[in-house]
Amino acid sequence: RPVHAACLQPSRQVGVTIEVDVAAPDGRTLHAYDAGTGGPDALAIVWHHGTPNIGLPPEPLFAAADRLGLRWVSYDRPGYGGSTPHPDRDIASAARDVLAIVDSLGIDRFAVMGHSGGGPHALACAALLGRRVVAAVSVSGLAPFGGEGLDWFGGMSEAAEASLRAAARGRAAKEAFEASNVADDPGFIPADLEAFQGAWGWFGKVVGPALAAGPSALIDDDLAYVRPWGFDPVSISVPVLFVHGGSDRMVPSSHSVWLASRCQDAELRVSPDDGHISILRGADAALEWVTLQVR
């Protein structure tokens, strides 16, 4: 059962994920999660979920986080799960939401990690929250729409491209697209389907509830991806790791290549045979990279 943020810190237990409702400055509710990993001195790492997911922290990475002394914190983006919708938001708004959450939990400095659509939201925190963010990881993440020199749709599956082109035409077109009940292959490769059969079958816990609630939050996400983000990735000064599958057909690896070439302190890791989901099977290494940035 969700509890008020002020009640969370004293009751935090190792191995137990606690849910908390946090008030955003504009009065919206942000539904957040604090996983009991990493021990009492753990560095918090804020997880930014993909589209469409709710914000449960990534259980397949709990063991690695515990071993490395990392504490997972996450939240439902606006409109998902228990968080109030925030129509017409931009990507930058995630930084303000995360700031409200970490402040409510008494967290000073933290890392961020996002998968897929969560990647841009993690980068927003890295760009806009100054010294509060020590490092950022973007896995299978999108680059800004219309980025100079980037063929943004190049290499996407037909379904992924159609969905995002609808968003680029505006809210009415995106709403009509979602109402059409298109059921094409989203672009998973065999390696992704294998990952779903293993630990990353966990996605069933976060995708199912998001879809059951209807398309509104998904629509807001996709509209935010194709609008101005509200920040320039060039402004990110903290270390950033970009991880991508070279065979990803949902978000092609060219997005991470483009981003890494523009961030001040970036490392790029492309795994040629991995797709959008299977790349997460090696995410333990990304967490190890995070710990190295704070030594």
Side-chain angles (χ1 to χ4, degrees), residues 41-211:
D41 300 319
L43 170 72
I45 179 166
V46 178
W47 171 256
H48 293 262
H49 64 79
T51 302
N53 297 177
I54 61 170
L56 284 170
E59 292 177 14
L61 297 177
F62 278 15
D66 205 42
R67 172 174 58 84
L68 294 167
L70 297 171
R71 166 189 176 185
W72 285 114
V73 173
S74 61
Y75 73 109
D76 299 329
R77 243 184 342 267
Y80 290 107
S83 291
T84 307
H86 186 189
D88 300 322
R89 62 178 175 81
D90 60 12
I91 300 293
S93 65
R96 296 185 290 275
D97 288 350
V98 166
L99 189 61
I101 292 166
V102 295
D103 282 351
S104 75
L105 300 181
I107 295 168
D108 181 18
R109 305 190 75 195
F110 56 96
V112 291
M113 181 175 183
H115 174 246
S116 189
H121 295 89
L123 296 181
C125 296
L128 299 172
L129 296 183
R131 61 166 294 276
R132 301 291 294 271
V133 175
V134 298
V137 179
S138 173
V139 182
S140 309
L142 289 153
F145 185 66
E148 183 178 359
L150 174 65
D151 180 2
W152 203 79
F153 292 109
M156 284 188 187
S157 69
E158 288 186 12
E161 179 175 350
S163 178
L164 289 166
R165 283 196 183 276
R169 294 193 297 272
R171 180 174 292 277
K174 179 61 178 174
E175 289 176 345
F177 178 86
E178 293 302 323
S180 68
N181 295 315
V182 175
D184 292 330
D185 170 23
F188 295 129
I189 67 170
D192 292 326
L193 301 179
E194 291 173 10
F196 284 132
Q197 295 303 312
W200 289 99
W202 165 82
F203 272 105
K205 291 186 178 181
V206 295
V207 174
L211 291 174

Side-chain angles (χ1 to χ4, degrees), residues 16 22 36 64-65 70 125 156 162 167 170 172 175 183-184 191 204 244 256 261 269 271:
V16 175
V22 174
L70 297 171
C125 296
M156 284 188 187
E175 289 176 345
D184 292 330
H244 222 117
S256 283
S261 72
R269 299 179 184 177
S271 177

